[in-house]
Amino acid sequence: MSTLQVDRTIECEGLACPLPVVRTKKAIDDMKAGEVLEVRATDKGSVADLKGWSSRTGHQYIGLKEENGVFRHFIRKAEAAETKAENKHPHTATNEEIYAKTAAGEKLNIIDVREPAEYAFGRIPGAISIPLGQLEEQMSLLDPNMEYYVVCRTGNRSDMACQILTEKGFSHTKNVIPGMSEWTHELEQD
């Protein structure tokens, strides 16, 4: 296998969402079009996060190599004319809104797009697990006419998930912010 020429490498080992994406954005901003960035991360969620971010911004996600639990992402910076403005999903719900609705006995369709281990150690009661990286293949299990509240750790992965669902015809999705990192209410655990 030939060696991939990398112009810059950033170390994101031990960092969780959203930090690998935040650091990737900053590094890409400081690079020239056509240059390749290597992002080293240990967060399994970085796989879907960085692919999704690249797709949404117009940068080329070249590929991924995994070595001893380190995900090595390779991203080529796009020409200015090829980049896209990063958009946020316009419909949100707060942690407190979700808590108030569930405490009042309302049945909500909550999709947790974090990785399985994150979900297992604590989730909003009744939330179903569909990791972001599996969302498109499991989308057929969801009803596009239903309302869905999508949650992750900080609101970034869930924002990407809401945008993906909206592009596929789901018109009633809300991104739960700030997400599980600040959820102070009852948790379900495995």
Side-chain angles (χ1 to χ4, degrees):
M1 177 182 236
S2 62
T3 305
L4 182 61
Q5 177 63 41
V6 173
D7 298 288
R8 183 167 178 197
T9 300
I10 59 172
E11 307 289 338
C12 296
E13 288 101 328
L15 301 177
C17 177
L19 291 176
V21 172
V22 170
R23 291 193 176 176
T24 298
K25 288 179 192 178
K26 184 174 178 358
I28 285 283
D29 285 347
D30 294 337
M31 296 174 68
K32 295 177 185 157
E35 289 184 332
V36 175
L37 173 67
E38 177 183 0
V39 181
R40 293 173 169 257
T42 49
D43 179 12
K44 189 174 181 187
S46 70
V47 176
D49 293 349
L50 290 171
K51 283 181 182 177
W53 176 81
S54 297
S55 172
R56 287 193 337 265
T57 58
H59 299 294
Q60 180 189 2
Y61 188 87
I62 298 170
L64 168 74
K65 290 183 181 182
E66 183 182 355
E67 297 171 350
N68 301 320
V70 176
F71 300 97
R72 297 176 59 209
H73 305 273
F74 299 92
I75 302 168
R76 178 174 286 116
K77 182 173 179 166
E79 297 288 338
E82 298 169 331
T83 60
K84 304 179 230 175
E86 201 170 352
N87 295 318
K88 290 284 188 190
H89 186 69
H91 308 291
T92 62
T94 66
N95 288 0
E96 294 309 314
E97 289 174 78
I98 299 302
Y99 174 72
K101 288 175 184 266
T102 57
E106 199 171 325
K107 172 71 173 116
L108 302 180
N109 298 305
I110 303 170
I111 301 171
D112 190 319
V113 294
R114 295 175 299 155
E115 291 301 309
E118 295 173 285
Y119 175 84
F121 283 103
R123 62 189 170 272
I124 298 171
I128 62 166
S129 175
I130 304 178
L132 180 60
Q134 299 172 16
L135 182 61
E136 293 206 42
E137 65 192 46
Q138 292 190 30
M139 202 176 294
S140 63
L141 304 173
L142 303 173
D143 180 347
N145 298 309
M146 300 284 290
E147 181 173 51
Y148 291 100
Y149 294 88
V150 186
V151 67
C152 70
R153 195 174 83 75
T154 62
N156 287 327
R157 270 183 263 181
S158 51
D159 185 274
M160 280 189 265
C162 286
Q163 290 185 51
I164 291 167
L165 288 167
T166 300
E167 288 170 7
K168 300 293 184 180
F170 289 75
S171 55
H172 308 291
T173 60
K174 291 188 178 180
N175 182 19
V176 179
I177 51 174
M180 296 307 294
S181 64
E182 294 187 33
W183 182 262
T184 58
H185 308 289
E186 178 187 354
L187 292 174
E188 270 183 355
Q189 295 180 324
D190 289 350

